[in-house]
Structure formats: C-alpha cells, structure tokens
C-alpha cells in the first residue's frame, strides 16, 4: 500500500472513530499532497510524498519555536501534536553512525573532492535520507567532511 493510500485509509479510520484532532491533521496532510499534485500536474511518487510530509514537519517545528518564544504554549502544544501525527508516516530517523556511513558512501560514489562537489553528494543522498534526517544538518555534515 502506498503512503498516500495509507494516509487516506487512516483518514477514514479517524472519521469512524470521531477522532477530530487526528482527522484534522490527516486532512491537512492530504491537502498538502493534493496541492503539490495540482501544482506539478502529476501523481506524486513515494519520495515526493515523503518530501511534502517532511516539509510539513519542518514548518511545525519552526512554529513551535516561535510560539514558545511568544509564550503561547497552547499553540505550541497543538503544533507538537501535529508533528507526532505527521512523524507516524515518516520512516525512522537515521542515527549519527548510519548518517556518517551514508555520507561517506555518497562522497566515494560521487567522486566528490571539495565543497564545490557538495551538490553531487546531496543529489545522491537526498532520496535515501528524505524524511529521515534534517537536510540542514546533513548539509553541514557533508560540508565538514569535505573540508568546508
């Protein structure tokens, strides 16, 4: 079952269970996926759906930071709940050792020698780590490994 189909089935389950908070988040996820499909005029594949969900999680983490700074813990708690629902559909995060191994493989396979070759490594790694690590963190690790 595809990720999009699983999310749709979970929406039906949440509707039957009258789980309104969870249903709202699932509907937001499906709306974001559908909007991306309309924008690109294509049916999204698994990596693209993961990218959409990853982006949604990143947006909510930023919102939590802003709400916390503003003292709005009620809104921060709502965002944290939404992150929990979204993360249930993302693959397990990579630990630091697995990430370091993938970075080393990416450097070796792409033939990267300096920071100028960072794009080659990122292009090789992105499909493998999408939704499993923060891309900003990954970029920093690659840059450090390449001597930047």
């Amino acid at each position: 079952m595809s990720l999009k189909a699983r999310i749709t089935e979970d929406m039906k389950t949440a509707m039957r269970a009258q789980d309104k908070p969870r249903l709202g988040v699932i509907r937001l996820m499906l709306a974001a996926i559908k909007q991306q499909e309309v924008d690109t005029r294509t049916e999204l594949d698994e990596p693209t759906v993961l990218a959409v969900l990853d982006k949604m999680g990143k947006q909510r983490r930023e919102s939590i930071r802003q709400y916390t700074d503003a003292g709005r813990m009620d809104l921060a708690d709502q965002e944290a709940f939404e992150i929990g629902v979204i993360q249930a559909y993302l693959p397990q995060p990579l630990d630091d050792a697995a990430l370091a191994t993938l970075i080393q493989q990416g450097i070796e396979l792409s033939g990267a020698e300096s920071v100028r070759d960072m794009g080659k490594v990122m292009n090789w790694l992105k499909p493998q780590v999408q939704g499993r690590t923060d891309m900003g963190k990954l970029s920093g690790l690659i840059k450090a490994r390449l001597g930047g």
Side-chain angles (χ1 to χ4, degrees), residues 33-54:
I33 292 167
K34 181 61 88 177
Q35 183 63 49
Q36 185 71 21
E37 288 178 342
V38 168
D39 290 348
T40 61
R41 296 183 181 153
T42 61
E43 182 81 19
L44 297 184
D45 57 356
E46 288 291 307
T48 311
V49 171
L50 283 174
V52 169
L53 296 180
D54 192 34

Side-chain angles (χ1 to χ4, degrees), residues 9-130:
E9 286 301 314
D10 287 351
M11 180 182 70
K12 293 174 187 175
T13 302
M15 288 171 87
R16 286 186 203 107
Q18 296 181 351
D19 185 355
K20 290 183 181 182
R22 183 172 169 77
L23 178 61
V25 178
I26 292 172
R27 283 183 170 158
L28 286 173
M29 292 171 15
L30 286 172
I33 292 167
K34 181 61 88 177
Q35 183 63 49
Q36 185 71 21
E37 288 178 342
V38 168
D39 290 348
T40 61
R41 296 183 181 153
T42 61
E43 182 81 19
L44 297 184
D45 57 356
E46 288 291 307
T48 311
V49 171
L50 283 174
V52 169
L53 296 180
D54 192 34
K55 181 179 178 183
M56 290 180 72
K58 186 175 183 180
Q59 290 169 336
R60 276 148 185 82
R61 283 188 291 278
E62 178 62 25
S63 295
I64 286 174
R65 188 186 62 75
Q66 291 176 357
Y67 290 144
T68 303
D69 291 347
R72 294 293 311 264
M73 295 312 296
D74 56 328
L75 296 174
D77 292 342
Q78 173 62 31
E79 295 291 327
F81 172 77
E82 290 180 11
I83 287 174
V85 173
I86 292 167
Q87 284 181 333
Y89 297 97
L90 295 173
Q92 291 296 318
L94 290 168
D95 62 2
D96 290 338
L99 195 55
T101 302
L102 281 172
I103 290 171
Q104 186 59 39
Q105 287 176 349
I107 290 171
E108 290 170 3
L109 291 173
S110 66
E113 297 175 2
S114 69
V115 178
R116 285 183 279 144
D117 300 325
M118 192 169 143
K120 294 178 188 177
V121 180
M122 285 294 285
N123 285 339
W124 185 83
L125 283 173
K126 192 171 183 174
Q128 298 177 39
V129 300
Q130 188 69 52

